[in-house]
Amino acid sequence: MSTIAFIGLGIMGSPMAVHLQKHGHAVRGHNRSPAKARALQEAGGTACASAADAVSGADVICLMLPDSPDVEEVLLGEGAVLDHAEPGALVIDFSTIRPDVTRRLASAARERGLRMLDAPVSGGQAGAEAATLSIMVGGESADVEAADDVLGVLGGTVVHVGPPGAGQTVKAANQLIVAGHLQVLAEAVVLLETSGVDLARALDVLAGGLAASAVLMQKRDNLLEHRFDPGFRVELHDKDLGIVVETARSGGVVAPMAGLLAALMSSMVANGDGGLDHSALLRGVERLNGQTPPRPDTA
Amino acid sequence: MSTIAFIGLGIMGSPMAVHLQKHGHAVRGHNRSPAKARALQEAGGTACASAADAVSGADVICLMLPDSPDVEEVLLGEGAVLDHAEPGALVIDFSTIRPDVTRRLASAARERGLRMLDAPVSGGQAGAEAATLSIMVGGESADVEAADDVLGVLGGTVVHVGPPGAGQTVKAANQLIVAGHLQVLAEAVVLLETSGVDLARALDVLAGGLAASAVLMQKRDNLLEHRFDPGFRVELHDKDLGIVVETARSGGVVAPMAGLLAALMSSMVANGDGGLDHSALLRGVERLNGQTPPRPDTA
């Protein structure tokens, strides 16, 4: 069992930290808004006032933060976790950030005698709470093995997909695929509604064939009821599609659907839908069609 | 049990006709190339030299034909099935055709005292052989009930989705969704390959999260091995996306992904890939990226 620093106790990080504590690790949590540490404390973990405090004595340092600049700031900026970490500590970054930033940070960690894995997740809040996340791990094999008693606690599917940054690249691919599934489904729904088809029955039969997907299963009720309370927020998916198009472009990859999906998702943010669940792409298609979208219930 | 005429004994129609015969119906099959009737004959069915001959004495008339003009020709053209059918016969059209053509043909059937359902299927050759098709049925409720002992033999999921044409609209939505799944997956694969990720492991972890889909499960090996033997041919999916964009346009529906997908699929046909499985959209993305695609094994 390890002493684990866990930095970033939001809707994903908090249940993950609690699972680690309950499985016998000693978890030292830190979050900018300290109130978010309550669930961890109730599970027996320690709330720390700063990231530097949290990593003191920790063998493993977990991060679950919103975006690339947040991770950079915590590791190299004012928090300077990489300078306060114990020698040889293993950094596991669960955040979804740019693969090139991950590679740079992993190098910075190595220069300081530390080790780092990128380990972004798929499965959302429900997956974090049920410890059934898919975890896409990039890094050295020895470090992935060393992380086994942490990753195994959190994920239903843990796969080492390649060298540093590879986890982030697979997560980018994941976000591209999920956005594509949501958008074609949204277009299909508008086509079906306009044609006078029984939408609930149509989604049932679509789910029984080659059109079946986890997105269709999980977002069916959102689409039928126009309920877009998050869930996974449009503004985060927009950030992730930014990573997709930048990664594609910097790698010289032409990806026409990715470009269109990024534009459609950014248009959602521009129209004030950034705080809704990403299944609200249906509202975007309705907007394109001049339909006044029903007011979302974000209760 | 019914006497069933089955017109169109291709890779879908033949196993469907055989299932009906084996379940106690008396099936009278017809196909332009008579050799295709062999499996039905071996199962105890009757091979008929013409469509008019096949429908003689039949309570139910099943069609499984490639495209809208084929169905029009058989029902109203030289074959003139609607004029040779027994009074009150039930026409079940399993073909994937334009919803507006279906509605017109259903009216023509009604004018002659016949009944007609549109009942396009999803699930492909494997679904036809295993009798696990998803069947999307449009038509009158009484006619759907009357078709129960035919549809139930062929499908794992049979859903009445609305009035005449609704089945075709749902099938169009199905083909839009499937094309979208194939294309985002193809772009993701090229992104991953370019980034030096372990592709097989990446697909495993993607299949464990919100990116999971029937397409990813069924086409995984095609993508990994660049094997594009059909399966479902690009040229048929291209025809179906033509139906999608025409249905959207005539219904006044703006669907940007549908438009892009139709263009990308047509580009496959233009580049000589029409005879490959639709998972060969991966070749299209590689072509966009200036990569010489590995020669497909269409054995």
Side-chain angles (χ1 to χ4, degrees), chain A residues 128-170:
Chain A
E129 287 170 357
T132 56
L133 293 166
S134 277
I135 310 184
M136 309 147 209
V137 190
E140 305 299 329
S141 295
D143 299 337
V144 179
E145 280 169 39
D148 188 51
D149 66 344
V150 172
L151 300 178
V153 168
L154 303 173
T157 311
V158 180
V159 183
H160 182 203
V161 291
Q168 295 298 350
T169 305
V170 175

Side-chain angles (χ1 to χ4, degrees), chain A:
Chain A
M1 292 299 126
S2 306
T3 298
I4 299 178
F6 205 112
I7 298 167
L9 301 171
I11 61 167
M12 297 294 292
S14 177
M16 294 168 73
V18 167
H19 277 299
L20 291 169
Q21 178 70 32
K22 286 187 173 165
H23 275 75
H25 297 291
V27 180
R28 301 171 58 77
H30 170 68
N31 197 78
R32 257 187 325 197
S33 341
K36 298 262 179 80
R38 188 164 307 156
L40 174 60
Q41 283 177 291
E42 284 169 4
T46 308
C48 300
S50 70
D53 179 19
V55 303
S56 167
D59 318 303
V60 175
I61 299 167
C62 297
L63 308 178
M64 185 47 128
L65 298 165
D67 201 354
S68 309
D70 308 292
V71 176
E72 284 195 282
E73 172 69 16
V74 164
L75 290 183
L76 293 172
E78 212 173 332
V81 157
L82 292 188
D83 293 326
H84 289 86
E86 304 293 339
L90 175 62
V91 179
I92 307 176
D93 182 16
F94 294 110
S95 320
T96 295
I97 68 173
R98 296 167 52 128
D100 56 338
V101 172
T102 283
R103 283 190 289 271
R104 189 153 39 77
L105 293 172
S107 294
R110 260 197 309 280
E111 285 164 12
R112 290 162 174 80
L114 304 171
R115 300 168 292 156
M116 182 166 164
L117 298 173
D118 47 307
V121 306
S122 176
Q125 185 177 357
E129 287 170 357
T132 56
L133 293 166
S134 277
I135 310 184
M136 309 147 209
V137 190
E140 305 299 329
S141 295
D143 299 337
V144 179
E145 280 169 39
D148 188 51
D149 66 344
V150 172
L151 300 178
V153 168
L154 303 173
T157 311
V158 180
V159 183
H160 182 203
V161 291
Q168 295 298 350
T169 305
V170 175
K171 179 62 189 283
N174 184 81
Q175 296 303 79
L176 166 58
I177 293 168
V178 171
H181 289 192
L182 287 164
Q183 177 66 21
V184 280
L185 192 52
E187 294 186 13
V189 164
V190 171
L191 187 65
L192 291 167
E193 284 188 323
T194 308
S195 308
V197 169
D198 183 321
L199 184 59
R201 285 165 175 266
L203 295 182
D204 286 345
V205 71
L206 290 169
L210 192 52
S213 68
V215 163
L216 177 49
M217 273 197 298
Q218 292 189 26
K219 303 299 183 184
R220 181 181 189 281
D221 292 346
N222 301 62
L223 299 173
L224 283 174
E225 298 164 17
H226 271 85
R227 282 185 61 92
F228 303 120
D229 42 316
F232 187 73
R233 292 200 304 281
V234 163
E235 61 199 9
L236 284 172
H237 210 150
D238 183 50
K239 180 262 295 183
D240 293 348
L241 291 177
I243 294 172
V244 170
V245 294
E246 286 161 17
T247 302
R249 188 155 186 90
S250 68
V253 173
V254 178
M257 293 268 285
L260 178 55
L261 288 165
L264 292 168
M265 197 72 83
S266 292
S267 170
M268 297 290 293
V269 177
N271 279 280
D273 287 344
L276 300 182
D277 184 68
H278 52 174
S279 57
L281 279 170
L282 176 58
R283 278 170 62 80
V285 176
E286 290 171 338
R287 198 153 36 224
L288 281 173
N289 280 278
Q291 300 170 7
T292 306
R295 196 170 172 70
D297 176 1
T298 57

